[in-house]
Amino acid sequence: MRKRVIAGNWKMNMLPNEAISFIEQLSNKVADAKEEIVLCVPYTDLFYSLLTAQNTNIKIGAQNMHWEENGAYTGEVSGPMLKSIGVQYVIIGHSERRQYFAETDDTVNKKVKSAFKYGLKPIVCVGETLEQREAGNTKEIITKQTQLALDGLNANEIENTIIAYEPIWAIGTGKTATSEDANNSIKEIRNKIKEIYGEEISEKVVILYGGSVKASNAKELFMTSDIDGALVGGASLNVEEFTKIIAG
Ligand code: 13P
């Protein structure tokens, strides 16, 4: 059985005092939750969030990292830097980074390898645009992104990669993929992993859905066969709403 993972992606939101208050409130509400709860916060919130989340069941992640250990990369943050303060997760290849910051399948793959090298768990995002979907290319796009992201990893690393299927047209738009549709795309991703790495590994990979997940649609999404949880944007900024999503 795969464990349900509910991850929040705060994107470029929340000041440290807001992060502290949010985590204090959330930790009380989810103290008994069985799900793996992760908050991926801006760099400037990481340290405060980690301190506040100590001795709670909330884990803290970053939203990006560079693949090199250190060097002349102004403005970048490396895996060892994240690891040194206690960060455990990192989102890699979010569509907003692919779209606005020239992230490619190649840089995504380098970052995933680097995340494992420095002891971080990657949450790798894949997803198609509306145009790609309407052209009937969803399966091809998402399976290729998955294959390229995982290229060169060992079996243990593949099993420990979290994949987030986030159709770009559903992000921040209020449009959610139907649970059937999202589940089918996630099955395609799992099938691709099975084709390359075998069934045992493919059955262990946690694959999340992301794109306008809210309390009102979470339950239906989680009732499907292959959706193992959610990567939540906007609704992860509201404690009540996020708590309800965790409750399913
Ligand atoms: P929304 O939940 O705001 O649509 O964002 C989804 C997302 O991009 C999570 O990474």
Side-chain angles (χ1 to χ4, degrees), residues 204-241:
K204 287 187 184 155
V205 179
V206 168
I207 310 182
L208 312 179
Y209 167 77
S212 299
V213 175
K214 11 184 205 291
S216 58
N217 58 27
K219 193 178 195 130
E220 199 188 321
L221 289 162
F222 299 159
M223 271 165 26
T224 56
S225 63
D226 279 66
I227 300 178
D228 299 322
L231 182 56
V232 186
S236 74
L237 297 168
N238 180 301
V239 180
E240 305 298 329
E241 186 80 6

Side-chain angles (χ1 to χ4, degrees), residues 33-117:
K34 306 265 181 302
E35 296 76 11
E36 196 162 308
I37 302 165
V38 186
L39 284 175
C40 296
V41 307
Y43 290 134
T44 44
D45 290 341
L46 282 172
F47 196 66
Y48 302 95
S49 301
L50 284 157
L51 285 181
T52 315
Q54 261 178 359
N55 304 318
T56 75
N57 56 359
I58 301 170
K59 311 241 170 46
I60 302 298
Q63 299 172 9
N64 179 35
M65 62 176 276
H66 196 276
W67 59 86
E68 291 290 349
E69 181 181 350
N70 52 36
Y73 300 102
T74 303
E76 292 292 320
V77 171
S78 73
M81 289 171 176
L82 297 175
K83 185 70 183 174
S84 70
I85 59 167
V87 172
Q88 290 175 275
Y89 295 75
V90 57
I91 296 175
I92 291 178
H94 190 281
S95 60
E96 286 149 16
R97 296 216 53 89
R98 294 180 191 250
Q99 219 175 333
Y100 310 135
F101 302 99
E103 195 92 64
T104 64
D105 288 324
D106 181 49
T107 61
V108 168
N109 180 244
K110 284 185 177 147
K111 290 179 181 195
V112 174
K113 285 180 179 156
S114 182
F116 280 117
K117 181 169 178 190

